[in-house]
Amino acid sequence: MSKKFLILIVLICFFGVYNYLVYTQSQPPTKPLLSTNALQGQKLWQDNNCNSCHQFYGLGGYLGPDITNVYSLKGGDFINAMLNSGISTMPLFHFSDLEKQNIITFLKEVDSTGFYPDKKSIIHKNGWVEISEK
Amino acid sequence: MKSKAPLLFIITAIASLITAISFGIIATLQYVQFDFLKPFLTFNKVRPMHVTGALSWVLLSAIGGIYYYLQKDGLLKKQLLVSYHFIIFLLTGIGIYTCYALGIFGGKEYLEFPPILIIPILIGWFLFAYNVIGSLLNGFTKRPVYFWMWCTGSVFMIYHLSEAYIWLTPYFKDKFLANTALQWKAGGSFVGSWNMLVYGTATYVMAKLSPTSGVGTDKKSFFFYFLGLSNLMFGWAHHVYLIPIAPWIRYFAYLVSMTEWILLISIIYSWKKSLNFNTTIENKVVIKFLSSTDKWVLINLFVALLISIPAINYYTHGTHVTVAHSMGTTIGINTTILLASIAYIVQKENPNFNFKLVLKGLTFFNIALILFLITLLVAGASRSQWMYALEPSAFAAMQYKLKTVYLIMAILGSLLTTTILVMVLPLFKGLMKALRG
């Protein structure tokens, strides 16, 4: 076998092991799982492409604010009032009460996973950033 | 008979590029004037239309080029499959845009279309991988590096496109953090895979222009291939430094990202040498594009390396600095390579083609792009300052304050669009002529 091919095979084996570890370990066991209602809310989040304007943990489009912690900062009633408001660039949605409740549950459970932006992070000398735990 | 489908891929790629920039301008205008085109074409439709156009531009022109080169070198085994591949992608693309226009989503970021549509996309990639690998399998280990890049790129493309749908599986369904991480793993490595296709194309063209240089066959080419491949596999996690997933994944990514400094240093080291081609008049345009690529690689790699350091990423993440990085690489690096490839093809098809206008466009394109990227960096820095300010102010107030910056962004975006059109419209015409001829 050629040396180059061997390197390729070794890399792919590493990749296999790495993927297994990432798939099984990326969610720390202490973090909550989404409830059925939150999954319904997540579906509405995707079906309406809310992510094109909003971010969780800074990931998403930037036309609207990051809403990782909107639940703990502003509360369910505030979100409820926002959803069908058509405020600013936000499209005018017509969610039912149940749908709004599911979205709020989703946002609440996302909120419980951590902080963003995390102003209490510790920046180390080697360039590493230690994020705070919720 | 030789299939014309490779040219059709490239022609459709240019149409996608024009689509991408049109929706890009609409998107920036919505930053300036919040009710622009509301309620018909809200930002949740415009953004995926813009991004899908840009992705299609890169992927279709890379695919078309690869088919074309394999065909030209007499290696391509299955001509008919190329046409099937084209038809599948064309119909799927029309389907995707129809969904976006009607506001039908359901997917995750960058793949916002209803998940079912990934099936024909995967079938298309299977046909591509089967055809490319099948054509090159004979004596594979002795083949030049660009063939390795195309083969591995197509296989990893299939892997990571499938991985992007892992959130649909019962095991992952309710794990929000794992899904977010894996979405970015898949996305980051997907970009790594397309870079394999695109950089492979650049290497192919360079090797053809300078057959004695050793580009594509020497040890160094393979060293960088393996470095790129390791980064494709393991270097995605700088997107998720700030998400509370298992820390080792983020730490490992930090280490892997930093290996790219080798690349940067090597580029600076071989700066002059890499431009030392035997330039003939006909090759001039291709070389001009590739030497633009060289400069953009340098600039973008530097930015990418900086924002891969967690302490810097902490401030730039979640702002337009990230957009500057992604647009800088797709437009600056990928687009100049792909235009070099297209110019090379146009010149092969029409030896008397006049590239004067294209070259003029390139000069202004480089200027417009650098200014555009600087504006994005300014917008990003302002947002970061707002995010981490001690006295928090309302989001709307921050957006209002940035209005002038967004306006400049829109103006420069239009300028950039114009320069892109000046380059691609003549090439488009040249390709149409080749298609008819």
Side-chain angles (χ1 to χ4, degrees):
Chain A
M1 201 188 310
S2 91
K3 211 163 89 192
K4 287 180 288 197
F5 206 64
L6 202 66
I7 300 177
L8 184 63
I9 301 286
V10 170
L11 265 180
I12 290 175
C13 292
F14 265 125
F15 185 57
V17 175
Y18 172 80
N19 278 347
Y20 175 76
L21 294 175
V22 171
Y23 293 164
T24 50
Q25 298 186 0
S26 51
Q27 173 106 3
T30 50
K31 296 291 179 181
L33 303 176
L34 294 180
S35 65
T36 317
N37 286 348
L39 283 171
Q40 294 291 329
Q42 176 172 259
K43 183 165 183 330
L44 291 165
W45 172 266
Q46 284 176 208
D47 285 347
N48 293 286
N49 199 12
C50 310
N51 210 192
S52 62
C53 299
H54 293 292
Q55 314 98 59
F56 290 135
Y57 291 104
L59 299 168
Y62 303 136
L63 191 59
D66 185 288
I67 52 177
T68 313
N69 298 128
V70 68
Y71 185 85
S72 52
L73 291 173
K74 301 190 175 170
D77 291 343
F78 172 83
I79 300 172
N80 194 54
M82 273 314 232
L83 286 179
N84 287 348
S85 68
I87 184 173
S88 171
T89 48
M90 192 144 142
L92 183 58
F93 295 113
H94 304 281
F95 293 121
S96 68
D97 285 342
L98 178 67
E99 289 175 326
K100 284 195 279 188
Q101 209 43 57
N102 286 338
I103 293 176
I104 294 169
T105 307
F106 172 57
L107 293 178
K108 179 179 171 192
E109 294 184 12
V110 169
D111 190 324
S112 72
T113 61
F115 298 102
Y116 191 85
D118 179 9
K119 296 190 187 178
K120 296 204 191 85
S121 295
I122 302 163
I123 299 178
H124 293 277
K125 280 214 179 69
N126 62 359
W128 185 246
V129 173
E130 195 177 317
I131 53 186
S132 8
E133 282 298 325
K134 200 146 195 163
Chain B
M1 202 187 88
K2 272 193 179 171
S3 158
K4 295 254 179 189
L7 294 179
L8 284 174
F9 268 105
I10 301 175
I11 288 169
T12 315
I14 296 182
S16 307
L17 176 60
I18 295 172
T19 310
I21 52 187
S22 314
F23 285 106
I25 293 195
I26 296 177
T28 30
L29 289 176
Q30 289 181 330
Y31 269 89
V32 179
Q33 183 60 41
F34 72 84
D35 53 0
F36 181 66
L37 294 184
K38 193 177 177 181
F40 318 102
L41 211 55
T42 38
F43 193 72
N44 54 340
K45 297 179 179 179
V46 177
R47 185 175 191 255
M49 285 178 169
H50 167 64
V51 174
T52 305
L55 297 186
S56 307
W57 148 243
V58 173
L59 294 174
L60 296 177
S61 52
I63 292 172
I66 292 169
Y67 278 141
Y68 180 90
Y69 296 132
L70 290 177
Q71 192 184 50
K72 189 134 201 92
D73 293 350
L75 292 166
L76 189 65
K77 287 247 167 73
K78 309 258 187 245
Q79 304 276 339
L80 199 60
L81 279 193
V82 182
S83 309
Y84 290 149
H85 182 187
F86 177 72
I87 292 167
I88 293 174
F89 269 16
L90 184 69
L91 293 179
T92 315
I94 294 171
I96 290 174
Y97 271 86
T98 311
C99 286
Y100 290 160
L102 297 174
I104 303 172
F105 306 104
K108 297 222 174 199
E109 197 177 3
Y110 304 125
L111 303 164
E112 289 90 342
F113 45 80
I116 187 93
L117 285 172
I118 196 63
I119 291 173
I121 296 178
L122 280 173
I123 293 175
W125 280 107
F126 263 113
L127 293 182
F128 179 74
Y130 173 74
N131 212 351
V132 171
I133 296 173
S135 303
L136 295 170
L137 209 53
N138 219 341
F140 181 77
T141 52
K142 295 214 168 53
R143 291 199 186 270
V145 77
Y146 39 85
F147 289 149
W148 286 61
M149 295 170 96
W150 292 344
C151 292
T152 26
S154 59
V155 172
F156 278 90
M157 188 64 95
I158 293 170
Y159 184 79
H160 291 295
L161 269 178
S162 315
E163 190 182 47
Y165 287 85
I166 211 165
W167 56 276
L168 287 165
T169 59
Y171 177 78
F172 284 103
K173 209 175 78 183
D174 51 6
K175 298 186 173 68
F176 177 79
L177 289 176
N179 282 338
T180 309
L182 290 175
Q183 183 194 336
W184 286 86
K185 175 182 188 304
S189 302
F190 168 79
V191 173
S193 314
W194 96 29
N195 279 335
M196 279 279 161
L197 303 181
V198 175
Y199 298 166
T201 303
T203 317
Y204 176 92
V205 173
M206 286 196 285
K208 290 288 161 184
L209 293 190
S210 178
T212 51
S213 65
V215 173
T217 47
D218 56 9
K219 272 217 166 78
K220 194 172 144 196
S221 307
F222 276 92
F223 173 77
F224 284 115
Y225 162 71
F226 285 119
L227 185 66
L229 189 59
S230 332
N231 268 282
L232 180 170
M233 292 172 167
F234 310 113
W236 55 278
H238 49 271
H239 296 289
V240 294
Y241 280 150
L242 302 176
I243 303 181
I245 56 165
W248 73 264
I249 299 177
R250 295 177 277 137
Y251 217 100
F252 187 60
Y254 181 24
L255 288 179
V256 176
S257 304
M258 291 303 112
T259 60
E260 292 219 9
W261 285 101
I262 306 173
L263 193 61
L264 187 73
I265 292 162
S266 150
I267 292 171
I268 296 173
Y269 186 72
S270 57
W271 180 256
K272 276 268 149 34
K273 222 172 78 192
S274 65
L275 301 180
N276 244 342
F277 285 107
N278 273 338
T279 321
T280 60
I281 302 291
E282 303 88 67
N283 288 340
K284 199 173 135 206
V285 58
V286 180
I287 306 232
K288 277 258 156 85
F289 272 115
L290 288 178
S291 56
S292 287
T293 310
D294 236 13
K295 290 173 196 128
W296 287 115
V297 168
L298 195 70
I299 296 171
N300 282 298
L301 197 59
F302 188 63
V303 173
L305 281 165
L306 287 182
I307 64 177
S308 294
I309 299 172
I312 296 175
N313 182 275
Y314 176 72
Y315 292 104
T316 59
H317 180 83
T319 74
H320 278 98
V321 175
T322 317
V323 184
H325 161 59
S326 58
M327 292 188 70
T329 46
T330 38
I331 307 182
I333 303 174
N334 288 320
T335 298
T336 50
I337 290 176
L338 293 165
L339 288 175
S341 163
I342 293 176
Y344 182 75
I345 292 172
V346 166
Q347 179 203 303
K348 284 261 173 263
E349 295 286 321
N350 320 283
N352 297 323
F353 191 86
N354 186 346
F355 284 103
K356 227 174 164 171
L357 198 59
V358 180
L359 279 175
K360 271 242 159 63
L362 177 63
T363 308
F364 288 101
F365 162 83
N366 282 328
I367 299 169
L369 182 57
I370 196 80
L371 295 175
F372 184 71
L373 295 182
I374 290 171
T375 328
L376 284 172
L377 291 177
V378 170
S382 318
R383 184 170 170 127
S384 174
Q385 203 182 21
W386 168 79
M387 258 171 25
Y388 293 104
L390 291 176
E391 297 280 322
S393 58
F395 176 79
M398 182 270 297
Q399 288 290 68
Y400 186 78
K401 238 175 72 185
L402 278 180
K403 224 165 195 169
T404 325
V405 178
Y406 293 142
L407 186 64
I408 297 173
M409 209 155 91
I411 294 169
L412 290 173
S414 314
L415 195 70
L416 186 61
T417 300
T418 315
T419 63
I420 291 177
L421 288 177
V422 171
M423 291 188 293
V424 300
L425 288 180
L427 294 175
F428 188 80
K429 259 177 58 200
L431 288 168
M432 290 304 274
K433 202 170 143 209
L435 190 67
R436 283 192 300 266

